[in-house]
Amino acid sequence: MSEDTFRSVEIERTSLGKYVARNVRGGSLSMGTGEDASFTPVELLLAAIGGCTAIDVDHITSRRAEPTQFSVEVTGDKIRDEVGGNRMQNLRVEFTVTFPVGADGDRAREALPRSLQQSHERLCTVSRTVELGTPVSIVEAAGSTGD
């Protein structure tokens, strides 16, 4: 893969059930099992889906007017499926966006449905990857079992 398409994060265990994810730009966030305030991996998946679409929609609509409210709620049900595996279903991304009164706000309101559709159908890498069902490879790094 070329450098402009490659993406990565590194996850480090800090204690039992607690981890820090880091990106190449120096950002970090804590994650864990849900026993404290840290995000769980499932919550991060929901945040990634909503965040990806939010960024797309915000860039498109804010060219017309700055929103007076912009919030996104992402929900889903964690289930155990027929083969006994855990997964999410009923994923839903709900936007609450308002724009100021006036011509610019009217243009932003008019662009909102189209921007939601464009993000879902074409722009949001995260939700498109989930919907298309991209395979995930889990591998053990060479030499990782010994000190």
Side-chain angles (χ1 to χ4, degrees):
M1 286 282 136
S2 68
E3 197 169 303
D4 62 328
T5 63
F6 183 75
R7 304 290 188 270
S8 69
V9 296
E10 192 170 291
I11 299 167
E12 180 182 357
R13 179 185 186 269
T14 58
S15 65
L16 180 62
K18 296 183 183 195
Y19 311 87
V20 174
R22 291 186 176 87
N23 64 28
V24 297
R25 295 174 308 285
S28 66
L29 59 86
S30 61
M31 83 176 149
T33 59
E35 295 176 11
D36 61 12
S38 297
F39 282 84
T40 67
V42 170
E43 291 166 338
L44 290 171
L45 174 67
L46 296 176
I49 292 169
C52 184
T53 300
I55 290 168
D56 295 337
V57 170
D58 193 23
H59 278 290
I60 294 167
T61 59
S62 293
R63 289 183 198 144
R64 290 144 179 92
E66 184 67 19
T68 54
Q69 178 185 11
F70 192 109
S71 62
V72 182
E73 182 179 17
V74 186
T75 59
D77 298 311
K78 183 179 175 185
I79 64 155
R80 185 166 301 249
D81 62 23
E82 54 282 344
V83 297
N86 296 330
R87 66 181 176 89
M88 294 295 293
Q89 69 176 17
N90 303 320
L91 295 173
R92 177 182 164 91
V93 182
E94 182 176 310
F95 278 76
T96 303
V97 184
T98 56
F99 298 99
V101 174
D104 290 344
D106 291 344
R107 282 192 290 280
R109 275 185 289 284
E110 184 179 303
L112 182 60
R114 187 179 78 253
S115 67
L116 291 168
Q117 182 179 9
Q118 286 176 323
S119 179
H120 181 71
E121 292 177 355
R122 184 170 63 83
L123 300 174
C124 177
T125 303
V126 178
S127 64
R128 286 184 41 77
T129 300
V130 170
E131 281 200 337
L132 294 173
T134 301
V136 177
S137 299
I138 307 291
V139 299
E140 182 180 340
S144 67
T145 57
D147 286 329

